[in-house]
Amino acid sequence: MFSWLRSDDRRRKDPEVFQTVSEGLKKLYRTKLLPLEEHYRFHEFHSPALEDADFDNKPMVLLVGQYSTGKTTFIRYLLEQDFPGMRIGPEPTTDSFIAVMQGEVEGIIPGNALVVDPKKPFRKLNAFGNAFLNRFVCAQLPNPVLESISVIDTPGILSGEKQRISRGYDFAAVLEWFAERVDRIILLFDAHKLDISDEFSEVIKALKNHEDKMRVVLNKADQIETQQLMRVYGALMWSLGKIVNTPEVIRVYIGSFWSHPLLIPDNRKLFEAEEQDLFRDIQSLPRNAALRKLNDLIKRARLAKVHAYIISSLKKEMPSVFGKDNKKKELVNNLAEIYGQIEREHQISPGDFPNLKRMQDQLQAQDFSKFQPLKSKLLEVVDDMLAHDIAQLMVLVRQEETQRPAQIVKGGAFEGTLHGPFGHGYGEGAGEGIDDAEWVVARDKPMYDEIFYTLSPVDGKITGANAKKEMVRSKLPNSVLGKIWKLADIDKDGMLDDEEFALANHLIKVKLEGHELPNELPAHLIPPSKRKATE
């Protein structure tokens, strides 16, 4: 008797079994989260329902910035080729959202055709109407960079009320829709134009709750002197601090992201290091894509739960017959108190609640009599998903990462600086002398030899204790000196001969000059007399 009940309980305790992360996310969303969203009309308040393409699509990078900050040029710089529909100029030129994606043939797909394609993750943009769809296109072209990621170019953000009204669609809402689905949001600033317009400020606030995806690029930094650049960087951080209300500082990359000569080349090394950091961040996106989608689903589930509590609380307070309109106004005005009550009753963090002012505006247009009362079973299913199924998917994410070859973005600008003499740090620090015929340490060896022979060598070698007395003069931490000792003691006998001692001092010099030490000794740093022994 009641065997169906026992099997249902068993199924609730045992997590679902999935073959792939993508398949698991789709099934969990459709069977466990979507019913809750539909029951409490989540899609009318927050975000349209997700589709299969949202879980299957490649990682996307969204570029946002005021006009003429170099967004389109940045994409061209990454791809190292033009793309269909590209227009570059000092005045506002890009007036459309352009999704730059991989395609076998170059061409443009207009917005209205794009939102009916089930293979593309843009179907729900249909809700923004023709005014937006006429300003939305997909530029397709064959490019190795686009095999791993897609890039979304956006219209330049303007200032003033007139431009905001003349768009004909809710620009901030469209950006928020993209922000929820992309893997990285890059805010571009022009080093000469740091003023954040009202619309840009509104856009950044619309991207709230996605700060973990945001990165900032201070572009065209080669056009100002070092001293001015320091002031500009400080001013930018101050401006962002007033808008992005997070205790952490957003990562700002400084550089000049186009293929023209640097106007002021003084900061070339800084720009190279910053570009390399940004490229590494973008290249990691395919590897972390499944984890990001899993994270976004968890955020969505938490918001959907809170939304269900809000809607059911409003339904519970409504009278059954008379005074509905007055009660509705009262409830909307007292929404902050309802938030507090839900927070206390269900132990929910204040950070999980939707924006109060925005929720009040949306509730004004709703018919509260159509709201549903609290249905515990729907919430239990989502709680079960968060407690058990998500943990199972986390294990699967790690398994997929280890089974697949290293997934990084290749081609275009990413290829140019990976290898060869123009790779970052080539010929510097531990890489100094990599192409020289002679051993690079030999240049300073006579100076190191003088010190070596004052340390009482026996049979041509000094002990670790004697070497330590000299090496600690550098004032480097013991952990760093320990690593240098391991690299320099090539024959691992616990002592240093004159060549190994010279090598140790060379590595100390490398570290003191601000370079990182290699994990393994590069071939060109091995003393000539020991090269055959190590082969």
Side-chain angles (χ1 to χ4, degrees), residues 395-416:
V395 175
L396 198 54
V397 166
R398 297 304 176 204
Q399 287 176 356
E400 284 190 2
E401 282 178 358
T402 53
Q403 288 167 5
R404 290 179 183 175
Q407 292 178 293
I408 61 166
V409 183
K410 296 179 180 176
F414 298 97
E415 212 67 33

Side-chain angles (χ1 to χ4, degrees), residues 41 56 85 87 139 153-154 195 223 249 257 306 324 373 379 383 424 444:
R41 305 165 77 169
D56 294 332
R87 287 171 60 214
D153 193 9
T154 61
D195 58 308
Q223 298 177 15
V249 176
F257 294 91
V306 172
K324 288 185 179 181
L379 288 159
D383 284 333
H424 177 60
D444 299 318

